[in-house]
Amino acid sequence: MKGVLPIKGASAASGREKKAPKELENVLNQYFGYSGFRGKQLEAIEAVLSGRDCFCLMPTGGGKSMCYQIPALVRTGIVLVISPLIALMENQVASLKNKGIPAEFLSSTQTSHTKQTIHEDLDSGKPSLKLLYVTPELVATPGFMAKLKKLYHRGLLSLVAIDEAHCISTWGHDFRPSYRKLSSLRKQFADIPLLALTATAVPKVQKDVISSLCLQNPLILRASFNRPNIFYEAYHAGLNSKVRSSVLDDWLSSRTQVVVATVAFGMGIDRQDVHIVCHFNLPKSMESFYQESGRAGRDQQPSRSVLYYGLDDRRRMEFILRNTKTKKSQSSSSSNELSEKALADFSQIVEYCESSSCRRKKIIESFGEKVQPTLCQRSCDACKHPNLVSSHLEELRRVPNCRFNKVSPVFQSSLVNPAHLDTEFWNREDEASISAEDISDSDDGNEVVSNIAISKIPSNAALDAKFKALERAENAYYQGKGQTNQQGGGLVDKKSISQALRDACWKRLLDALGQAKLRLGNLPCDEAASATHLETECFKKYEKVGKTFYNSQIAATVRWLSSATSNQMHDRFHTLIDQATDHSVSSSPDIVPESSPAPTEVVCARPGETIVHELEKTKHSDESAKTIAASAGNVELPTIPSFRECLSQKGKDCKKSSSDSNAGSQPFGFRRKSTGLVEKQETSKKMKS
Ligand SMILES: Nc1ncnc2c1ncn2[C@@H]1O[C@H](COP(=O)(O)OP(=O)(O)OP(=O)(O)O)[C@@H](O)[C@H]1O
Ligand SMILES: [Mg+2]
């Protein structure tokens, strides 16, 4: 069984008999299970055991803690460890206790009972503690200092270790004023060794640490910062030309699909099919952002530019901008000017990231261009998911370091082409939420609220303004159903499709058609008439079964419109026009022979996914539908399957995939990734035959 090594000698200072390396290694092995010391550990341990001050510079994870933990085990008395973070202390103390080593920490987070127990142990004739962790603030209090002095005079203070010692230096990145107060330790405990430990000390900081702590003739140990087990790579312009050109070749010839690189990589490279540009660090200005993200979508295909943003990133970049300018510039006045300019440029990016208003508008306006309010068409996240953006921004403000949190907000922008930058503020769960919206039994009220009300609320609106907007949206919702909330009195039919929902869906379709037109250059149909046509179809076919199915079909149709590629869309239109001409449909779209066979067209929407469209050959009895179809041009847009078709399609699918237990759990006709008019290649083959 493990036990604290027998205490030899009456006092810490008098117990400084030399330990053989083998003995120390045995202790290491006995308590920690390691076979030998690493790097400069042994030298540091031997130095402090001999009573000498020591400055120990070792990389992160290098094993600095062992340099004071082993002395605590072999020396009489207590090792005092000064640490800047309570979490660090808790962690280490728990780990030591696990190994049977008596360790404690004192902090404001502990109960007074625990603190009292620790103090009693310290005051006892023979404390059981071997390591006591404290904050620099506590050391600076007269009460605790008096306690330490008592321990010292009783010969029970064997070592003072100052962890993360760079915090004492104003030159260091983590300066902590209370660390400055540790400078009195050397004087107070003249013959007790001080051990300063850090992983981050550039020469200037190193000197500052040594002088601030008044270390006496310290042994200065610097371990190599090489971490041989870590494989590093990322591309930069400084690579030798052979490596550089091979990365470039692989990239240009599509052998490599993903390159992680500095911004230098993108310059002058023209690969057409780059569809995602992801900024892991923040760009310095709107110009940089536009230029770098503009590498996406050169083939005019829908593309995305993802921008990760956290307040830490912002601070880091502001720090860099301030300091870079200071170094570059000779005179301090021009340095300040440059710094101010850089910070002003950068503030545009910050504003872009932290605002909930239209991103496309922000980008374009930053270049002095006037933007029509209708330009965006929900092609940026602020316009598309205003409530999500607002809540993510609120979270960003509430939890400043949430960048890597599971629900951390990140910014994403998508661009169709550089002239039409499509920006989104995006959450990693967003994809799921879009799908959920498409397939779930979404509520009209929510739809109306998100479409009508929340988009008009600034993210920081007062709570009562939000309530008022919600109230207005609620009234609009009920009015759409031909009743007011108050008048309605009873329950509203949960399944019914309100006028407000129909209007919102029409708008969605119109937006999708507008997007498709932008993407394809020239869509050969009138968008408004086509949106009406599609919405009317959905409504007619799903009115009876209710809004869930209606919603889903609208969403699926929107998805089809927004995901079909240029060729697919054009092919389809040409095929349709040709077919319509062959069948004498185009010349007279409202006279459709009832007996005509219904040809089936297969359109690949995404790799591995096929959609079946039955050309609409059924004569519309509804006159308005005829007019709409005629005004939509002689082009058939995706046909909406009837509810019965959906059910029978589902039935076929269930048989086909009876082995797939998940298939049966999906709602009828609504697959998460289906693009509307259901379904798989096998099915289309069956229908063809
Ligand atoms: N001689 C050793 N052999 C094997 N593992 C060791 C040895 N010494 C320390 N370690 C282990 O290395 C890990 C890192 O040690 P430690 O936390 O002390 O690093 P550190 O230098 O303080 O790093 P940081 O700068 O992040 O605080 C720990 O799991 C520790 O148990
Ligand atoms: Mg450490």
Side-chain angles (χ1 to χ4, degrees):
M1 208 180 121
K2 287 173 188 171
V4 176
L5 287 189
I7 296 168
K8 291 181 186 168
S11 77
S14 67
R16 276 181 201 149
E17 78 279 14
K18 202 166 158 41
K19 295 268 175 210
K22 191 71 201 151
E23 271 183 273
L24 296 171
E25 228 168 65
N26 287 344
V27 178
L28 174 76
N29 186 265
Q30 185 191 348
Y31 283 89
F32 298 94
Y34 300 134
S35 55
F37 289 108
R38 281 202 311 217
K40 304 278 180 185
Q41 280 177 334
L42 184 61
E43 285 169 72
I45 292 165
E46 285 183 326
V48 294
L49 285 179
S50 71
R52 189 173 173 185
D53 287 352
C54 181
F55 175 86
C56 186
L57 179 61
M58 281 166 87
T60 310
K64 291 185 283 295
S65 322
M66 209 60 85
C67 302
Y68 52 79
Q69 285 168 350
I70 295 291
L73 291 168
V74 299
R75 180 66 72 228
T76 307
I78 292 169
V79 167
L80 184 78
V81 184
I82 299 164
S83 172
L85 287 175
I86 291 170
L88 271 180
M89 297 196 255
E90 276 175 352
N91 205 294
Q92 286 211 13
V93 167
S95 157
L96 289 167
K97 281 182 169 174
N98 240 350
K99 295 176 172 67
I101 300 169
E104 282 295 352
F105 70 96
L106 275 173
S107 88
S108 53
T109 58
Q110 280 166 316
T111 62
S112 46
H113 174 73
T114 311
K115 283 191 238 180
Q116 197 186 334
T117 313
I118 294 168
H119 283 297
E120 279 169 8
D121 186 62
L122 294 177
D123 293 339
S124 71
K126 204 175 168 187
S128 62
L129 275 182
K130 294 308 296 175
L131 288 121
L132 178 65
Y133 288 75
V134 293
T135 58
E137 284 80 9
L138 186 67
V139 176
T141 60
F144 188 73
M145 188 47 90
K147 186 138 288 187
L148 276 183
K149 279 185 184 158
K150 266 194 201 165
L151 275 178
Y152 168 69
H153 289 303
R154 288 158 60 209
L156 291 172
L157 187 64
S158 63
L159 169 70
V160 179
I162 301 113
D163 208 359
E164 312 292 348
H166 59 276
C167 293
I168 203 171
S169 172
T170 43
W171 299 101
H173 57 84
D174 278 332
F175 172 61
R176 178 123 163 213
S178 50
Y179 262 71
R180 301 297 291 178
K181 299 190 177 145
L182 303 179
S183 57
S184 66
L185 286 171
R186 180 65 294 151
K187 224 187 191 160
Q188 308 271 9
F189 311 113
D191 57 345
I192 300 300
L194 298 184
L195 171 64
L197 306 127
T198 178
T200 49
V202 292
K204 201 172 190 173
V205 175
Q206 181 184 318
K207 272 191 201 144
D208 203 18
V209 170
I210 291 170
S211 69
S212 304
L213 286 173
C214 309
L215 299 187
Q216 297 295 305
N217 183 31
L219 176 68
I220 300 173
L221 296 170
R222 296 174 63 96
S224 167
F225 272 56
N226 177 33
R227 303 282 303 276
N229 59 320
I230 298 181
F231 181 81
Y232 303 95
E233 63 182 322
Y235 179 96
H236 64 85
L239 288 179
N240 74 47
S241 57
K242 210 171 153 194
V243 178
R244 197 179 170 187
S245 65
S246 86
V247 172
L248 193 58
D249 281 350
D250 286 352
W251 168 251
L252 288 173
S253 60
S254 303
R255 279 192 295 274
T256 298
Q257 290 303 314
V258 179
V259 170
V260 179
T262 66
V263 287
F265 179 77
M267 277 177 200
I269 290 176
D270 186 20
R271 181 170 159 180
Q272 292 284 305
D273 61 343
V274 175
H275 292 149
I276 298 180
V277 171
C278 182
H279 274 88
F280 192 72
N281 287 319
L282 288 177
K284 286 180 189 159
S285 64
M286 200 54 109
E287 286 102 300
S288 315
F289 175 57
Y290 184 75
Q291 210 248 357
E292 290 152 13
S293 56
R295 296 182 198 295
R298 284 164 183 255
D299 57 1
Q300 309 303 306
Q301 294 302 312
S303 304
R304 279 178 163 177
S305 161
V306 182
L307 177 61
Y308 288 87
Y309 181 78
L311 295 185
D312 267 0
D313 302 296
R314 172 187 169 173
R315 284 184 211 114
R316 198 176 302 126
M317 182 55 90
E318 283 170 346
F319 176 81
I320 290 168
L321 291 174
R322 262 188 217 109
N323 286 281
T324 308
K325 297 305 167 195
T326 312
K327 272 181 212 158
K328 271 190 184 169
S329 184
Q330 295 294 321
S331 79
S332 65
S333 66
S334 63
S335 159
N336 286 342
E337 273 168 33
L338 283 170
S339 178
E340 269 168 34
K341 160 93 174 63
L343 290 167
D345 286 349
F346 180 63
S347 70
Q348 283 191 313
I349 291 290
V350 171
E351 225 228 312
Y352 171 83
C353 294
E354 292 190 13
S355 151
S356 58
S357 63
C358 177
R359 296 188 204 289
R360 177 179 302 283
K361 194 165 178 280
K362 276 217 152 45
I363 292 165
I364 300 173
E365 280 184 344
S366 76
F367 294 103
E369 201 178 308
K370 277 227 156 67
V371 178
Q372 294 296 320
T374 51
L375 178 79
C376 186
Q377 306 255 13
R378 280 162 61 91
S379 61
C380 91
D381 63 335
C383 298
K384 194 172 176 187
H385 304 298
N387 44 346
L388 262 183
V389 170
S390 297
S391 74
H392 291 164
L393 283 170
E394 269 167 28
E395 191 182 357
L396 187 79
R397 285 174 198 126
R398 211 181 52 239
V399 194
N401 295 324
C402 64
R403 187 179 192 245
F404 296 106
N405 189 301
K406 187 168 169 271
V407 291
S408 78
V410 292
F411 293 91
Q412 169 177 309
S413 56
S414 317
L415 33 124
V416 174
N417 62 45
H420 194 77
L421 205 61
D422 181 0
T423 60
E424 264 189 312
F425 177 56
W426 178 77
N427 175 300
R428 279 159 209 180
E429 293 178 341
D430 201 15
E431 297 285 10
S433 72
I434 290 166
S435 303
E437 176 208 321
D438 289 347
I439 62 169
S440 72
D441 188 357
S442 67
D443 185 82
D444 287 1
N446 293 340
E447 184 93 19
V448 174
V449 166
S450 68
N451 286 336
I452 302 173
I454 293 183
S455 61
K456 291 178 183 161
I457 304 173
S459 63
N460 56 355
L463 207 57
D464 62 341
K466 285 190 179 179
F467 277 122
K468 278 193 182 124
L470 284 166
E471 222 170 78
R472 278 200 305 277
E474 196 184 2
N475 282 336
Y477 165 65
Y478 284 109
Q479 273 159 16
K481 287 179 177 295
Q483 55 188 289
T484 64
N485 195 7
Q486 292 83 355
Q487 286 163 345
L491 285 172
V492 175
D493 180 1
K494 282 251 174 200
K495 274 165 66 174
S496 73
I497 300 164
S498 70
Q499 188 56 46
L501 177 62
R502 288 193 65 184
D503 290 347
C505 288
W506 179 83
K507 180 78 175 36
R508 281 178 77 180
L509 291 163
L510 184 70
D511 289 349
L513 282 154
Q515 287 285 341
K517 187 175 182 178
L518 282 167
R519 213 175 56 234
L520 303 175
N522 189 21
L523 203 65
C525 66
D526 175 81
E527 290 135 74
S530 303
T532 309
H533 172 70
L534 290 168
E535 194 283 322
T536 308
E537 280 280 278
C538 276
F539 180 70
K540 278 198 308 191
K541 291 182 175 171
Y542 291 90
E543 184 183 15
K544 289 204 178 73
V545 286
K547 69 181 179 192
T548 305
F549 294 89
Y550 167 83
N551 259 336
S552 294
Q553 276 308 322
I554 291 281
T557 310
V558 165
R559 209 158 40 214
W560 186 88
L561 290 168
S562 60
S563 67
T565 65
S566 166
N567 286 344
Q568 288 160 356
M569 206 73 131
H570 277 287
D571 284 350
R572 175 161 171 67
F573 287 151
H574 288 309
T575 311
L576 284 164
I577 290 163
D578 291 344
Q579 285 171 343
T581 312
D582 288 345
H583 293 282
S584 310
V585 175
S586 64
S587 57
S588 181
D590 48 350
I591 306 171
V592 182
E594 255 177 304
S595 55
S596 294
T600 303
E601 189 192 351
V602 180
V603 179
C604 290
R606 295 193 187 106
E609 189 173 12
T610 306
I611 313 160
V612 179
H613 300 298
E614 285 183 59
L615 293 181
E616 181 81 330
K617 295 292 175 186
T618 314
K619 190 178 176 186
H620 295 298
S621 57
D622 188 305
E623 280 304 317
S624 64
K626 284 180 199 165
T627 321
I628 292 157
S631 61
N634 296 326
V635 174
E636 286 275 3
L637 284 155
T639 308
I640 312 298
S642 69
F643 184 56
R644 204 148 44 111
E645 282 164 341
C646 268
L647 291 183
S648 69
Q649 193 60 63
K650 181 67 194 170
K652 283 178 198 170
D653 274 11
C654 284
K655 272 185 208 158
K656 176 170 66 67
S657 56
S658 57
S659 59
D660 179 357
S661 59
N662 288 332
S665 64
Q666 299 266 1
F668 281 123
F670 302 95
R671 294 195 161 197
R672 238 173 106 87
K673 289 279 182 183
S674 82
T675 50
L677 315 175
V678 228
E679 199 72 269
K680 295 274 177 191
Q681 207 147 14
E682 292 83 343
T683 317
S684 72
K685 282 179 194 156
K686 273 185 213 162
M687 289 181 81
K688 266 183 172 171
S689 64

